[in-house]
């Protein structure tokens, strides 16, 4: 009875403080060493990205360097269909918020342990992954799906670094088309804002009525540029004084001389008033 209890205990999932479930990872079937992954359901209130649904996303810690995104997708596919896999150096917001860039325009990835976000097709896959027993390791490299490491991996990376000119030209053309389209949309938006906030000769701005329920339009870049140009025109109309240092110094000397002259005149006036107020009975 004792051995059966021990075997039954090993078939249970291992949950550690913090709500993380421990999964064993084995590089190959013949490997004696095992690696530990820590998985938990991704629940972040501030996460508003549609790329990480709160009910179908699994957060993974301690992903080793030899596990690429396609390897992680294959390992966790046994718990259900995987929609997407995202590996990052540190936990954070989704990197899909900006435009998707080719690998030629992205900085080189850091080599080291990573964190992962695995999005399943079904919410039941999260429970299946969290209930996986610790005694059944996930095998990374198999005969059907071998994973290269060491010198073989470096040779493969060096071979993959060579790109055909036609393929590279296609990637560059696609990137430039998206960039030009985005620039045209930005220029069109600024043009519309400039037309709405265009001033007439007397300085009046035409205000148009928007749709019902729309919020007030904030200050745009075009409006800020017009205000700045207006202020510069006002400054140009004014006379430029004390441009040089010697002009400023002479102005200060003249001002001090006028103050001294006025002080002497005030002293004489006060002395005269005192003399007039002196008591003379005879």
């Amino acid at each position: 009875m004792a051995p059966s209890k021990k075997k039954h205990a090993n078939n249970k999932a291992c949950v550690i403080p913090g709500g993380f479930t421990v999964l064993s990872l084995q590089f190959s079937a013949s490997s004696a060493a095992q690696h530990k992954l820590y998985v938990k359901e991704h629940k972040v209130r501030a996460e508003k990205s549609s790329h990480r649904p709160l009910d179908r996303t699994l957060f993974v810690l301690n992903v080793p360097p030899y596990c690429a995104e396609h390897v992680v997708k294959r390992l966790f596919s046994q718990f259900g269909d995987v929609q997407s896999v995202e590996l990052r150096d540190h936990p954070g917001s989704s990197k899909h918020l900006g435009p998707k860039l080719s690998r030629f325009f992205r900085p080189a990835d850091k080599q080291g342990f990573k964190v992962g976000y695995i999005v399943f097709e079904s919410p039941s896959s999260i429970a299946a992954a969290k209930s996986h027993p610790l005694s059944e390791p996930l095998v990374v490299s198999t005969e059907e799906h071998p994973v290269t490491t060491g010198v073989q991996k470096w040779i493969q990376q060096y071979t993959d670094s060579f790109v055909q000119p036609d393929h590279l030209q296609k990637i560059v053309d696609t990137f430039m088309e998206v960039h030009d389209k985005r620039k045209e949309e930005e220029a069109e938006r600024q043009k519309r804002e400039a037309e709405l906030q265009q001033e007439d000769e007397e300085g009046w701005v035409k205000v148009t009525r928007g749709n019902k329920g729309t919020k007030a339009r904030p200050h745009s870049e075009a409006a800020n540029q017009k205000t700045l140009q207006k202020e510069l025109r006002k400054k140009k109309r004014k006379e430029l004084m004390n441009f040089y240092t010697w002009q400023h110094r002479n102005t200060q000397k003249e001002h001090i001389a006028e103050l001294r002259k006025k002080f002497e005149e005030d002293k004489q006036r006060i002395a005269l008033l005192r003399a007039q107020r002196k008591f003379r009975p005879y």
Side-chain angles (χ1 to χ4, degrees), residues 84-254:
S84 63
V85 176
E86 179 184 354
L87 298 181
R88 303 196 53 162
D89 296 330
H90 305 284
S93 59
S94 177
K95 64 180 180 181
H96 296 287
L97 298 178
K100 187 176 181 180
L101 301 177
S102 172
R103 64 186 181 92
F104 304 104
F105 301 98
R106 294 195 304 262
D109 296 334
K110 297 180 180 179
Q111 299 296 327
F113 291 88
K114 298 181 180 297
V115 299
Y117 297 90
I118 303 174
V119 180
F120 291 97
E121 295 287 349
S122 175
S124 60
S125 302
I126 300 292
K130 294 171 61 178
S131 60
H132 187 74
L134 181 63
S135 58
E136 299 180 9
L138 307 178
V139 181
V140 177
S141 181
T142 59
E143 294 181 358
E144 296 81 5
H145 303 281
V147 177
T148 58
T149 58
V151 178
Q152 295 180 355
K153 181 179 180 181
W154 296 342
I155 296 174
Q156 182 178 358
Q157 290 177 351
Y158 178 76
T159 305
D160 295 340
S161 63
F162 293 96
V163 185
Q164 296 297 328
D166 297 339
H167 180 60
L168 181 60
Q169 185 65 40
K170 184 178 179 181
I171 295 175
V172 173
D173 293 341
T174 305
F175 175 81
M176 292 306 300
E177 289 177 1
V178 175
H179 176 73
D180 294 340
K181 183 179 179 180
R182 187 164 59 249
K183 295 292 287 185
E184 291 177 359
E185 293 176 353
E186 181 67 19
E188 186 67 22
R189 183 184 63 82
Q190 292 182 0
K191 183 179 179 180
R192 290 196 301 267
E193 292 179 354
E195 292 176 354
L196 292 175
Q197 301 183 3
Q198 187 175 4
E199 298 181 359
D200 56 14
E201 296 179 358
E202 298 181 356
W204 293 93
V205 180
K206 181 180 178 181
V207 180
T208 57
R209 182 178 180 181
N211 297 329
K212 186 176 180 181
T214 56
K215 298 182 179 180
R217 184 172 61 254
H219 293 288
S220 62
E221 185 67 22
N224 295 336
Q225 291 292 336
K226 284 188 171 295
T227 304
L228 181 60
Q229 293 177 2
K230 187 176 180 180
E231 293 295 332
L232 292 176
R233 287 196 298 268
K234 287 182 179 180
K235 290 182 180 181
K236 288 181 179 180
R237 295 192 193 103
K238 296 181 181 180
E239 185 179 0
L240 188 61
M241 299 179 62
N242 300 334
F243 181 76
Y244 297 103
T245 306
W246 62 270
Q247 289 180 337
H248 184 64
R249 185 165 55 248
N250 291 343
T251 304
Q252 287 183 342
K253 290 181 179 179
E254 293 176 359

Side-chain angles (χ1 to χ4, degrees), residues 21-47:
T21 301
V22 183
L23 299 181
S24 297
L25 189 68
Q26 197 170 349
F27 183 78
S28 62
S30 59
S31 299
Q34 292 185 355
H35 184 78
K36 304 300 180 183
L37 297 178
Y38 305 94
V39 300
K40 182 180 180 181
E41 185 177 358
H42 179 62
K43 291 183 178 180
V44 180
R45 294 182 180 179
E47 184 69 57

